[in-house]
Amino acid sequence: LTLTVLLSVANAWSTTVLVVGTLTGRLGRDVAPLLSTAAAILLTNIIALSVLSFTSATAFSPTDVMP
């Protein structure tokens, strides 16, 4: 869970830096670095969501709630 939170915070920060840099023009006008950065952020989102979903799905089993 800690890893998922850390990935989410880092991802939110990276997304903010990417958007602000794109809007202000500080990241340059070349498209390739922007797309690779956006792809890395998307991949991190997918990994974080997958880990969180797997953790939630395996947190409880049917035998945990049996009397």
Side-chain angles (χ1 to χ4, degrees), residues 21-60:
T22 302
L23 293 177
T24 59
R26 288 187 296 154
L27 293 179
R29 305 228 183 262
D30 193 17
V31 176
L34 295 177
L35 287 177
S36 64
T37 303
I41 292 171
L42 177 64
L43 183 63
T44 305
N45 271 336
I46 291 171
I47 291 170
L49 183 60
S50 298
V51 168
L52 184 61
S53 297
F54 178 75
T55 303
S56 297
T58 59
F60 299 103

